[in-house]
Amino acid sequence: MGTSSKIKALDFYRKIPKDLTEASLSGAGLSMIAAFAMLFLFGMEFNNYLKITTTTSVIVDKSRDGDYLRIEFNISFPALSCEFASVDVNDIIGTARFNLTKTVRKFPVDPKLNRAGPEFHSGPVPNIQSHGDHFTVDQEGAAVLTTENFDSYANSYPILAVNFYAPWCYWSNRLKPSWEKAAQIITQRYDPDVDGRIMLAKVDCTQSQDLCRRHHIQGYPSIRIFRQGHDVREEHGHHDHESYYGERDTESLVLAMEGLLSASSGKGVLALDDKSKESNGTLKRPAPHAGGCRIEGFVKVKKVPGNLIIAARSGSHSFDASAMNMTHFVAYFSFGRKLSWRMVKEFRRLAPYLEAKEERLTEGAFISEHENITHEHYLQVVKTEVVSLKTNEEYKLLEEYEYTAHSNVLQTRQVPYVKFHYELSPMQVVIKENSKSFSHFLTNLCAIIGGVFTVAGILQSMLQNAIGMVKKVELGKQH
């Protein structure tokens, strides 16, 4: 009993006999108000506990040496043929890659940017070693074609090989002796009046501009193989004609032409396909279906200032800079890994202000008022990193890149191009999701309950005192 009494002496909450307490309407009303206040404040505190909070900071970019940045794009050129369109990248530390094809796709498009055929497989850059024979041509052997007689020749011979050239072109002049000599040999072996299966011809593109434009000739010389007006069925669809990229000496040209005859008659192996197994690469490819090209895909670059360049390139063709138009339309141009819609939703949950972000080049149209105009885009890229509290590794760390773009045009005497010069900011934005302490929530909850209860008790006491004073005053007046 003594021990129990000592423990009871420590009671902070001593019971008051019920007989000594008295309920009142004012106390009941005040208690109800206090209860509602407790519920309201509890709801606000609980909602604040569940609410996501983030902190934003700017720090030095922690990218390590060797990290790569993905650049994804979809750009259409209404006047640049897929045959020579090249995607190149280089950077400030000396890295340079040309004619990227592994992660880049090309589709021919018409002037209205509508797709005009299957995907164009350009393959590796032809490594032509012999560009022609060095001798003087005494007699021309190739038939001269113009806009007026081209269709007649094309429909008269099962195989018509045409050299589209320009008199001012260095490579065309290198090819001329070999082409004329090969035409003479083919004419002697396969007399057009007797055999009539093959004809070698030539077109001066400075004189027959409409004809060359109709066949999408942009590089000189371009050797095309036509097959009597009907398409050649291949794995990727139908092709009106083909392009030849083989050696340009007389012997190679003659072997190639005779190989075409063997293939058309079903005898032997096609010389062009046979030689394609050599180091020269593929010598015969489908010719482009249209004069425009849509280039889409991605490239990976080092995280240093660099350039992505799209231009007409070839080591064995010349281009008329004054006739090239680099007008382009950007469907999208973005940096970084492409996020799924779930990841985008998670990203915007933590960084809602980024929902209205704008990629400056996307849906942009960049028109050349005339030919021989180079377009340059200067891009400044900033990385935003979002760190969430989710345990899923996919959502734990999200990255997104924003950029500003400034574009300029200039006219030069060189072959025009489109260049995207990018620079990454050395700083990055970090948005971090913050967790709230449950103990802090409980502490606030106790403070709410205790505070409201105490304030209500004080108000009740003041109210009772006021009522008591009023009653005393009334009794005094009565006496």
Side-chain angles (χ1 to χ4, degrees):
M1 290 295 290
T3 304
S4 177
S5 298
K6 290 180 180 179
I7 294 175
K8 288 181 178 179
L10 301 175
D11 186 6
F12 292 161
Y13 309 100
R14 297 172 182 263
K15 293 178 62 178
I16 300 175
K18 197 171 184 180
D19 295 338
L20 300 178
T21 61
E22 181 181 358
S24 63
L25 289 176
S26 61
L30 196 58
S31 297
M32 292 176 64
I33 294 173
F36 281 118
M38 289 181 187
L39 288 175
F40 177 73
L41 293 175
F42 169 78
M44 292 183 63
E45 182 63 25
F46 185 69
N47 180 66
N48 187 56
Y49 173 71
L50 297 179
K51 190 177 180 181
I52 298 297
T53 61
T54 59
T55 56
T56 302
S57 58
V58 178
I59 64 173
V60 175
D61 191 350
K62 296 181 179 180
S63 299
R64 296 170 296 177
D65 186 23
D67 286 352
Y68 286 86
L69 174 64
R70 178 183 174 119
I71 304 177
E72 193 160 353
F73 51 86
N74 183 319
I75 307 171
S76 297
F77 295 82
L80 176 63
S81 173
C82 290
E83 183 178 13
F84 299 111
S86 174
V87 178
D88 312 325
V89 294
N90 58 65
D91 58 42
I92 198 171
I93 61 176
T95 303
R97 291 178 289 164
F98 300 96
N99 194 30
L100 301 177
T101 58
K102 187 175 181 180
T103 58
V104 176
R105 305 176 68 189
K106 302 175 186 176
F107 297 91
V109 296
D110 60 24
K112 295 184 178 180
L113 305 184
N114 297 317
R115 189 167 162 178
E119 180 181 353
F120 185 85
H121 296 272
S122 57
V125 177
N127 182 23
I128 300 177
Q129 299 178 357
S130 177
H131 295 279
D133 298 323
H134 296 278
F135 56 81
T136 304
V137 180
D138 297 329
Q139 182 179 359
E140 296 185 354
V144 178
L145 302 186
T146 62
T147 305
E148 289 73 21
N149 64 359
F150 183 88
D151 290 338
S152 175
Y153 273 83
N155 293 321
S156 299
Y157 296 93
I159 297 175
L160 177 66
V162 183
N163 172 24
F164 292 88
Y165 71 97
W168 52 263
C169 171
Y170 170 78
W171 301 112
S172 295
N173 292 326
R174 288 279 305 268
L175 171 64
K176 181 178 180 180
S178 301
W179 187 258
E180 299 295 346
K181 185 65 176 179
Q184 293 175 16
I185 295 174
I186 292 296
T187 299
Q188 292 171 3
R189 295 180 183 179
Y190 310 95
D191 189 340
D193 297 328
V194 179
D195 188 287
R197 288 183 296 163
I198 187 170
M199 169 66 73
L200 269 67
K202 60 185 178 182
V203 174
D204 183 351
C205 286
T206 62
Q207 299 297 325
S208 302
Q209 297 180 5
D210 292 339
L211 177 61
C212 294
R213 192 177 298 111
R214 190 174 76 189
H215 292 291
H216 318 302
I217 305 299
Q218 294 185 358
Y220 309 106
S222 289
I223 300 175
R224 298 283 197 260
I225 302 164
F226 298 86
R227 300 176 184 266
Q228 202 169 17
H230 63 273
D231 294 350
V232 178
R233 187 180 297 274
E234 292 193 1
E235 179 182 357
H236 299 289
H238 297 281
H239 299 287
D240 296 328
H241 52 283
E242 299 157 319
S243 297
Y244 171 78
Y245 297 100
E247 299 297 331
R248 295 175 179 176
D249 59 279
T250 302
E251 182 182 358
S252 298
L253 290 171
V254 172
L255 286 174
M257 297 305 115
E258 290 184 332
L260 292 172
L261 287 174
S262 299
S264 63
S265 61
K267 300 178 181 179
V269 180
L270 179 59
L272 299 181
D273 293 336
D274 183 48
K275 290 172 76 67
S276 67
K277 299 176 183 178
E278 301 176 2
S279 60
N280 289 347
T282 303
L283 306 184
K284 177 177 69 69
R285 301 175 193 160
H289 283 246
C293 188
R294 187 177 79 228
I295 304 174
E296 61 181 56
F298 68 91
V299 297
K300 289 186 176 181
V301 298
K302 293 183 178 180
K303 292 187 174 182
V304 295
N307 303 295
L308 186 150
I309 301 173
I310 300 177
R313 297 194 187 280
S314 173
S316 55
H317 296 80
S318 298
F319 303 98
D320 184 2
S322 64
M324 298 198 69
N325 190 306
M326 296 303 290
T327 292
H328 57 287
F329 300 86
V330 182
Y332 60 80
F333 194 98
S334 61
F335 293 86
R337 184 165 59 97
K338 193 171 184 178
L339 303 179
S340 66
W341 68 270
R342 284 191 178 91
M343 296 173 70
V344 171
K345 186 177 180 180
E346 176 69 10
F347 193 97
R348 291 174 177 172
R349 179 182 71 86
L350 300 177
Y353 65 89
L354 292 180
E355 185 173 1
K357 78 165 191 170
E358 180 183 0
E359 293 176 343
R360 300 294 181 88
L361 295 180
T362 297
E363 300 297 335
F366 303 91
I367 311 298
S368 298
E369 296 182 358
H370 49 82
E371 285 69 20
N372 200 18
I373 293 293
T374 288
H375 295 259
E376 294 189 353
H377 305 285
Y378 180 75
L379 314 178
Q380 292 180 305
V381 188
V382 179
K383 176 183 177 182
T384 299
E385 194 174 87
V386 173
V387 182
S388 73
L389 296 176
K390 291 196 173 182
T391 56
N392 191 330
E393 290 296 328
E394 184 180 14
Y395 300 104
K396 195 171 184 179
L397 179 63
L398 303 175
E399 294 181 352
E400 191 160 278
Y401 291 82
E402 292 185 279
Y403 65 87
T404 60
H406 303 277
S407 302
N408 186 36
V409 296
L410 55 99
Q411 185 172 12
T412 65
R413 294 183 179 180
Q414 299 176 347
V415 176
Y417 55 86
V418 174
K419 180 170 71 174
F420 301 88
H421 176 76
Y422 55 88
E423 286 194 7
L424 279 79
S425 171
M427 311 302 290
Q428 72 175 57
V429 179
V430 178
I431 301 173
K432 189 174 182 180
E433 183 180 11
N434 301 317
S435 60
K436 293 185 179 179
S437 172
F438 183 71
S439 61
H440 183 70
F441 168 71
L442 288 180
T443 302
N444 288 348
L445 185 60
C446 292
I448 289 172
I449 296 174
V452 173
F453 189 83
T454 301
V455 171
I458 294 173
L459 291 176
Q460 172 67 9
S461 176
M462 293 174 63
L463 184 61
Q464 292 295 335
N465 291 336
I467 293 174
M469 291 178 64
V470 170
K471 287 182 177 180
K472 287 180 179 181
V473 170
E474 288 180 350
L475 287 174
K477 288 181 178 180
Q478 291 176 1
H479 294 290

